[in-house]
Amino acid sequence: MPFSLLSQSVVKVADLQFSKQVVDSVWLSNPAMQDGLYHSSFYDLQLKLNRWKHSKLNNPIHGNKSNTWQLNIESYNIKNNTTLFSKVYYKKGNTENVQWNNVDLIEEIGPYWVADTTKGTNEFEHYFFNGGIAHRFEKLTLAIEGSFLAKILYKTVNPRVKNISNSIRIVPGIKYNTSRYSSGFSIGFESYKQDSDTRIYDDSGRKDFFYMLEGLGYYDYKLSQTASSYGIYYAMQKWSANMQIRPIVKGIYANILFQQSINEMGMSDIIPNIYRFENIHFKAGWQNKTDNSEFRLGLKGEHRKGNGKERVYETVIIEPNTDLTDKRLLTESDNYSKKTDVLTLEAMLSSKRQVKVKYILKAFYQMGQYNEDYLDVSVLKYNFNKWQVKSYIQYHLNDSFIEFVASYLNYNTTNASLKGLPDTKVSSDLILPYFQFISAAYSQYQFEFKYNYQLRNSSTICLALKYENANSTQINNQQTSIHLAYIF
């Protein structure tokens, strides 16, 4: 059968997969940009199996081995001037040899959390629901998107931890089209809450402590060794504002994102603390787009800064000769700060001039610096740079098409230093391994192969295999995944 007579369903799915590789994810933070994102409606059912393992250095709070499976359902429907989009997934898995981490979403709710000395396996489940609508009024598009994420995390050894967390996110957005440009604005609101309940069911021979970690453990407040349970909550309120402009065909594109969050940790009998975080992200460049090709060259920068406020209380007796007590605030000080500055030069070239072969080439060079301060002392800092080249090729057969992705990434650090380290168990088991892991140089290879086959009912089934390896004298990380999809 000549290629020109191929089923439209094959062409539709091939164009969809190609578009997902080309689109810049930064535009998707505004739900109004979903209008016109793809040329046709689709449903995508996916089953993903993933496994990763660190054979050498690893970050203790994330363990060294993980196995997960995930079921996704994604839809995109165009109804005249209205676009409906949604995504739902269920994820289940475990992470082995986790230490100094009894919480979920630790990078965002840190640097204050409660942990224990026991190394164990964390089991987890995720439930995610997302949906949105975008409606176009001639040149103006209005949209709104909402999502809900619920998580369960528990530990399989004493002290047994059970965390239940949920987050709700709402993002309204607007887009205005002219003959040459699309401009957009969106704001986002997110509320997050995590309740952590820890219990010990067997106290015989127990020698471990609970620690309230401050500044990633540079100071640790050791809790009672005899405590058999405790409850704690973590709360986060986040908001963001995003402005965008991009050309329809040719011209300058730009994006500015401002994000801020306030995190709070609370417990009845320990010091509650607050962490404030802000992120400023900009992106600008030049684009030239034709019917069969697209070229982008841009520069993006990011400034992330967090400040931790520590509160110290004293316990006072409310009534003499009773056990009734209350807490009185003594001090409130900004003792912790974390700052990251990143600058990236990136380029992309895509082509679908050939009937049977389409390709995408991407590359970037990134440099930045990271610094953590605790109690006005520079404790951890390093400079880093990394570069990556990535290629995507799509090749059409008679009733199917294949996709191949290959990439190479190189990561290096300079001027890495760690000082002011206290002589504690937290230092030797958490901070030092963490510093060695994040400051280690490595090279990373990634290969992905996808086979897409048209079924008799005009739907398409996709099988994807992916392998990733990061390697150096200090690092050996491997990740493999299998992905099965049904698209119609």
Side-chain angles (χ1 to χ4, degrees), residues 92 192 298 332 406 423:
K92 181 177 176 62
Y192 174 88
E332 188 174 13
D423 185 17

Side-chain angles (χ1 to χ4, degrees), residues 12-73:
K12 167 188 168 181
V13 175
D15 287 343
L16 170 65
Q17 303 291 48
F18 189 82
S19 298
K20 286 185 174 183
Q21 295 288 333
V22 172
V23 68
D24 193 334
S25 60
V26 70
W27 307 120
L28 303 184
S29 57
N30 181 354
M33 292 295 179
Q34 292 277 355
D35 173 39
L37 181 64
Y38 303 116
H39 299 302
S40 58
S41 303
F42 68 88
Y43 292 90
D44 189 355
L45 281 65
Q46 304 176 10
L47 175 63
K48 297 180 180 180
L49 306 176
N50 187 73
R51 173 184 173 87
W52 59 259
K53 180 181 180 181
H54 299 304
S55 300
K56 296 180 181 178
L57 292 178
N58 71 284
N59 188 347
I61 61 176
H62 292 311
N64 64 3
K65 186 187 298 184
S66 179
N67 295 279
T68 62
W69 70 271
Q70 182 172 327
L71 181 63
N72 286 14
I73 302 175

Side-chain angles (χ1 to χ4, degrees), residues 151-169:
K151 298 182 180 181
I152 300 174
L153 181 146
Y154 55 93
K155 204 173 185 179
T156 57
V157 297
N158 274 326
R160 296 182 182 271
V161 181
K162 184 176 182 181
N163 291 351
I164 297 177
S165 61
N166 63 79
S167 65
I168 299 175
R169 184 170 180 261

Side-chain angles (χ1 to χ4, degrees), residues 215 217-219 372 374-375 377-380 417-424 427 431:
Y218 293 112
Y219 173 77
E372 283 191 61
Y374 190 73
L375 296 173
V377 178
S378 180
V379 185
L380 191 157
S417 68
L418 177 65
K419 58 184 180 180
L421 199 63
D423 185 17
T424 63
S427 297
I431 304 175

Side-chain angles (χ1 to χ4, degrees), residues 375-391:
L375 296 173
D376 299 322
V377 178
S378 180
V379 185
L380 191 157
K381 64 179 181 179
Y382 61 93
N383 299 330
F384 62 90
N385 64 81
K386 62 181 177 180
W387 58 271
Q388 184 187 55
V389 290
K390 184 177 182 179
S391 63

